[in-house]
Amino acid sequence: MILRKRIEIEGVVQGVGFRPFVYKMAQHWGISGFVLNNRRGVTIEAEGPFEKLAGFLWSVRSDIPPLASISRFDVSDIAAAGDQSFAILVSDDAPGSTEAQISPDTFVCDDCLSELFDSADRRYRYPFINCTNCGPRYSIVTGIPYDRPQTTMIDFKMCQACQEEYDDPQSRRFHAQPNACPVCGPQVRLLDAAGGEIETADPVAAAIAALKKGQIVAVKGIGGYHLAVDTENNAAIDELRRRKERDEKPFALMSCSIDEILTYTLADPDEVKLLAGVERPIVLLRKKENSGIGESVSPRNNYFGVMLPYAPLHYLLLQGQFRALVMTSGNVSDEPIAFEDIDARNRLAGIADCFLTHNRRIQTRSDDSIVRIVSGKTMMLRRSRGYVPRSLALSDKMPPVLATGAELKNTFCLTRGDRAYLGQHIGDLKNVDVYESFCRSIGHLEEILEVTPVAVAHDLHPDFYSTRYAEELAGIERVPVQHHHAHLASCLAENSFDGDAIGVIFDGLGLGIDGKIWGGEFLVGGYRSFKRMGHFSHIAMPGGDSAVREPYRMALSYLFRVYGDKLPDLPLVKAISKKELQLFQQMIEKGLNSPLTSSCGRLFDAVSALVGLRGEVSYEGQAALELEQVSDPMADGCYPFNLVKDAGGFCLDYDAMITAIVDDVLNGETTADIGGRFHNTITNVVLSATRHIWNITGLETVALSGGVFQNILLTEKVVQSLQDDGFTVLSHSRVPPNDGGLALGQAVIAAHQVGLYS
């Protein structure tokens, strides 16, 4: 009996070779019918005998192309049509809801790499080689369905040879939208610092020569420009820091192979797998002793951020026999990565000595993603190129909601049906250029998803640019969401957990419902509501934001609270004049520009300053990071702390801990031991607080979120202690624990609070 099936498939199934894959499966199983793209994904009508149809369906569901993913696979019976062959039809552009998912940008595949270095291939050393299994996607998309006219490749008309590949269902480049060759496709150029063209037969070879001479080269990649220097040239690295205004924050490295990376880092199998994945993120890897890579690449840090090349142009550059290249974002510190050519030449003119650029337009800027392994599990620190706009599954359908995220490490989120779409890393919205990128990116994703939000969620803080953006939207319901509630909900949503949980939320700052700055929080709740069960004791931040940039201020705040006028004889105290000390004390006592905070991040800062590590920082989180780096994970003991009742529940008081740390410093205890005991103390605090909440609520699930949980030492200790005590622990993996994941929680909370969640 001849049967016919209609198969509706959703997910990442456009622009990833899915239709030619289906065509080949139909040929293999002897199936007639057709396949086409539509506004939701892919439609297949397949006709044949029962046994062959069953084999075809199994293959289409199970043997998908490497870049594809399926979120919905529906099969229904329809009448046989008597087709004699199987065809790939043109896209169905009929009006309707767009639910197709765009593939993220991906690395260059092995087949294309083989051709890239094959002197007999017509694409030999062509920097834009790609096929349906690899290459740029989201960064070049301008609309849906994903076809060439709705990408920036519309600027290049395919030559006859490329067109024949594009039209051939048997070709690896069948409907590869970025398909091109040296005859018809984009071209590279080398420009001098002023933007004038440098005459050369081989721009890549000339760029390699410039790098060998110690010059800084701006390289246009997939999602924007990198600034590259040779790691063998310490003077060039120092000059890049000076020009980029990036004093100590680590630079990312790129090497040509995993074998090369393993000459200067230590990597376990999970980390190697991350390095080699299609996303090609920056992976944090522990440095080898005497690695041979200059300390100035990643000063006072036990890790390098390392990635493999992901664009053909990167592979060609690394043929220059570089052990590694610094490949850092093309910007001045705190600005967005440059991605448009004119803007890049203007903004990077004072940094780059030359520009290795090309004429393929980038539609959407996107920084490199950053990941690390924690307890054998991936932890996302920055979610961007390679992962965006891959969707996150929600436990149920909801109408479209926009969440605008936070002020720092901003990302936004759009929901559509049972999917959430986190935008790429935007950055810190205090910068006007970053804010413009934020607005543009929201508009672009709304357009390609065809989403018109019916509600917008934003942070409670009225001065955040993300809040102001939400307030300026007309005709849409606004839902303010408390910062730490959003962190809790983000962790719950990522883990598809629908009930109430204990939330341990540790970060730098977030406006609380009481008007104070929160950051060391123990919550109970879910998407609809939360209750603050406990918190770290409130402490003054002398100078407000200045206390974030200068952690010694937080150390002084704790010292004044514990010791009053009789401050201990610490190096930190002796380095400050009596007049300044009196000024700080008056600020704290009178509450002059000294807001109260319960922040765990600020406690880490204070301890870092007390032990003499960091009195000032040049980038966010530096003091806490360096404390983590020097702490002995095997240190014995724990400092005292007090869990005391207060009006809203309980409060963690650290006065006794501060006294004990000061005593250890004065007695000459090592920083490693003090740091290790401090981490043990925070671990015991979490365990004591969660036990206390369990006694009240009976809840056994604990969600960990907030930027402090980027600390691998603390996170592993906390997870292990909670699990050993019988708690179920939820943590982040696909969404950052820092503010980069906040928008997901905001979106789900908003849907529940306005009654939209079905």
Side-chain angles (χ1 to χ4, degrees):
M1 180 182 294
I2 301 299
L3 304 174
R4 191 176 182 93
K5 305 282 187 180
R6 180 189 295 274
I7 306 107
E8 299 287 354
I9 303 175
E10 295 177 18
V12 181
V13 290
Q14 293 190 11
V16 293
F18 201 86
R19 288 175 299 167
F21 154 72
V22 172
Y23 179 89
K24 290 174 184 176
M25 291 301 99
Q27 298 293 310
H28 174 78
W29 289 100
I31 297 298
S32 62
F34 66 83
V35 60
L36 57 78
N37 281 347
N38 59 42
R39 300 173 73 84
R40 300 173 68 92
V42 164
T43 296
I44 304 168
E45 290 195 9
E47 187 168 319
F50 172 80
E51 294 82 2
K52 291 186 175 183
L53 268 178
F56 171 76
L57 289 171
W58 183 87
S59 297
V60 170
R61 183 65 187 265
S62 305
D63 297 333
I64 60 177
L67 301 185
S69 65
I70 293 174
S71 59
R72 176 173 166 261
F73 192 95
D74 288 347
V75 181
S76 58
D77 295 318
I78 57 175
D83 292 340
Q84 298 302 306
S85 61
F86 195 90
I88 298 176
L89 304 184
V90 297
S91 299
D92 177 9
D93 293 327
S97 172
T98 298
E99 295 195 20
Q101 297 181 39
I102 300 295
S103 167
D105 300 297
T106 62
F107 77 125
V108 55
C109 70
D110 289 343
D111 288 332
C112 285
L113 272 182
S114 178
E115 294 172 350
L116 181 67
F117 294 112
D118 180 358
S119 59
D121 193 275
R122 73 187 187 94
R123 291 186 176 86
Y124 175 58
R125 294 184 60 80
Y126 181 56
F128 306 96
I129 190 170
N130 70 89
C131 69
T132 53
N133 294 325
C134 69
R137 294 295 191 273
Y138 185 54
S139 63
I140 64 171
V141 169
T142 60
I144 290 290
Y146 174 65
D147 286 324
R148 191 177 180 104
Q150 300 194 85
T151 73
T152 60
M153 288 301 294
I154 194 174
D155 298 342
F156 305 96
K157 180 177 173 54
M158 282 183 283
C159 65
Q160 183 176 347
C162 286
Q163 188 69 53
E164 288 175 356
E165 293 171 330
Y166 185 87
D167 294 334
D168 180 6
Q170 301 292 345
S171 170
R172 201 174 82 250
R173 294 186 169 89
F174 176 73
H175 281 227
Q177 309 307 340
N179 191 33
C181 75
V183 173
C184 64
Q187 303 293 325
V188 293
R189 298 188 299 157
L190 190 66
L191 308 179
D192 61 26
E197 186 149 2
I198 298 174
E199 294 295 333
T200 174
D202 190 339
V204 176
I208 290 172
L211 289 165
K212 292 288 187 182
K213 287 188 225 176
Q215 293 187 356
I216 300 169
V217 180
V219 181
K220 186 178 180 182
I222 299 294
Y225 280 79
H226 285 105
L227 292 165
V229 296
D230 183 1
T231 56
E232 301 292 311
N233 193 320
N234 289 329
I237 296 170
D238 292 341
E239 182 62 14
L240 176 59
R241 285 202 178 279
R242 186 188 70 79
R243 296 185 192 179
K244 189 175 161 70
E245 300 174 16
R246 184 166 172 166
D247 294 337
E248 296 176 291
K249 192 173 183 180
F251 284 138
L253 300 178
M254 179 182 283
S255 288
C256 64
S257 68
I258 288 174
D259 287 343
E260 192 71 74
I261 290 171
L262 292 178
T263 67
Y264 59 88
T265 69
L266 301 168
D268 65 26
D270 289 331
E271 290 166 332
V272 169
K273 185 178 179 181
L274 271 179
L275 279 169
V278 297
E279 299 88 357
R280 287 295 197 267
I282 297 170
V283 183
L284 300 190
L285 301 176
R286 186 169 288 275
K287 296 176 180 177
K288 278 188 174 177
E289 289 188 23
N290 304 314
S291 68
I293 301 292
E295 176 65 16
S296 59
V297 168
S298 184
R300 300 180 70 170
N301 197 314
N302 297 335
Y303 291 81
F304 287 127
V306 188
M307 59 182 156
L308 287 170
Y310 52 87
L313 184 58
H314 298 153
Y315 280 96
L316 295 173
L317 272 179
L318 289 165
Q319 288 296 298
Q321 304 302 310
F322 299 103
R323 188 180 184 203
L325 289 175
V326 166
M327 293 287 269
T328 187
S329 299
N331 58 6
V332 177
S333 291
D334 298 328
E335 291 184 357
I337 184 173
F339 75 109
E340 295 176 316
D341 298 331
I342 294 176
D343 178 58
R345 290 198 290 273
N346 289 336
R347 286 205 284 131
L348 304 181
I351 304 176
D353 295 304
C354 57
F355 293 78
L356 184 61
T357 186
H358 58 76
N359 59 341
R360 185 176 67 200
R361 289 182 292 123
I362 298 172
Q363 176 68 21
T364 301
R365 65 158 55 95
S366 189
D367 289 90
D368 296 312
S369 297
I370 305 175
V371 300
R372 76 185 309 178
I373 294 292
V374 180
S375 298
K377 181 179 176 182
T378 301
M379 176 184 283
M380 188 79 59
L381 303 181
R382 185 167 77 191
R383 189 176 188 272
S384 202
R385 178 197 50 77
Y387 296 92
V388 175
R390 190 180 296 164
S391 65
L392 298 158
L394 300 171
S395 56
D396 206 343
K397 290 185 177 181
M398 66 165 72
V401 173
L402 167 66
T404 60
E407 184 87 339
L408 302 180
K409 293 182 173 64
N410 178 271
T411 61
F412 61 92
C413 182
L414 283 165
T415 62
R416 187 182 66 181
D418 61 355
R419 295 274 151 179
Y421 296 82
L422 269 178
Q424 73 275 21
H425 168 80
I426 302 294
D428 297 350
L429 294 185
K430 293 180 180 180
N431 182 288
V432 173
D433 290 333
V434 179
Y435 179 70
E436 290 177 354
S437 175
F438 166 78
C439 298
R440 176 174 177 168
S441 297
I442 290 175
H444 178 63
L445 192 57
E446 285 180 345
E447 181 179 353
I448 67 170
L449 294 178
E450 292 193 346
V451 166
T452 302
V454 297
V456 58
H458 61 83
D459 195 89
L460 282 183
H461 202 298
D463 295 330
F464 283 1
Y465 278 103
S466 54
T467 300
R468 294 177 183 177
Y469 178 90
E471 289 174 342
E472 291 171 1
L473 296 178
I476 183 171
E477 183 167 359
R478 291 194 298 109
V479 182
V481 178
Q482 199 281 320
H483 189 92
H484 301 91
H485 186 201
H487 271 303
L488 169 61
S490 175
C491 188
L492 299 181
E494 179 183 345
N495 288 278
S496 300
F497 186 86
D498 287 333
D500 284 351
I502 300 170
V504 180
I505 317 299
F506 291 172
D507 65 358
L509 60 88
L511 184 64
I513 56 177
D514 58 0
K516 296 176 183 176
I517 300 172
W518 293 5
E521 309 307 313
F522 296 90
L523 311 179
V524 163
Y527 303 128
R528 295 187 183 278
S529 63
F530 78 99
K531 181 180 180 181
R532 189 190 197 197
M533 301 292 289
H535 58 86
F536 286 16
S537 59
H538 290 110
I539 186 82
M541 289 177 60
D545 287 345
S546 295
V548 179
R549 298 186 295 270
E550 298 174 337
Y552 78 87
R553 293 171 179 256
M554 292 306 306
L556 287 176
S557 188
Y558 276 100
L559 291 175
F560 278 123
R561 185 166 78 180
V562 174
Y563 295 94
D565 292 332
K566 303 183 188 302
L567 296 184
D569 195 26
L570 291 169
L572 165 70
V573 176
K574 290 190 286 188
I576 304 171
S577 70
K578 289 184 178 180
K579 185 176 181 180
E580 284 183 287
L581 289 174
Q582 289 173 352
L583 177 61
F584 280 121
Q585 188 173 15
Q586 289 173 3
M587 289 174 63
I588 293 168
E589 289 176 350
K590 296 179 180 180
L592 299 174
N593 191 24
S594 298
L596 294 177
T597 182
S598 60
S599 170
C600 182
R602 301 291 77 81
L603 176 60
F604 269 81
D605 287 352
V607 173
S608 182
L610 284 172
V611 300
L613 277 178
R614 271 287 159 191
E616 299 180 359
V617 299
S618 61
Y619 62 88
E620 185 200 4
Q622 184 179 13
L625 173 65
E626 292 186 4
L627 180 62
E628 174 197 356
Q629 302 279 320
V630 303
S631 295
D632 182 359
M634 305 304 294
D636 291 328
C638 169
Y639 293 117
F641 61 89
N642 292 306
L643 191 155
V644 296
K645 290 184 179 181
D646 74 356
F650 64 86
C651 170
L652 275 303
D653 183 274
Y654 294 107
D655 290 0
M657 182 188 73
I658 296 297
T659 301
I661 290 174
V662 168
D663 289 345
D664 276 356
V665 173
L666 294 175
N667 291 331
E669 292 285 333
T670 67
T671 304
D673 281 341
I674 296 172
R677 291 183 197 125
F678 173 68
H679 282 79
N680 292 343
T681 305
I682 301 302
T683 301
N684 286 345
V685 163
V686 172
L687 186 59
S688 296
T690 50
R691 282 174 174 170
H692 179 76
I693 295 171
W694 172 78
N695 281 327
I696 297 170
T697 66
L699 293 172
E700 297 180 344
T701 300
V702 182
L704 307 179
S705 191
V708 170
F709 285 110
Q710 294 173 129
N711 181 320
I712 188 172
L713 176 58
L714 178 68
T715 300
E716 290 184 340
K717 284 178 174 289
V718 167
V719 170
Q720 190 63 56
S721 68
L722 289 172
Q723 289 178 340
D724 288 348
D725 209 50
F727 287 99
T728 299
V729 181
L730 306 179
S731 59
H732 288 282
S733 178
R734 295 170 297 150
V735 174
N738 58 46
D739 284 0
L742 199 75
L744 173 63
Q746 289 176 339
V748 179
I749 289 169
H752 281 83
Q753 289 190 357
V754 299
L756 297 175
Y757 208 89
S758 59

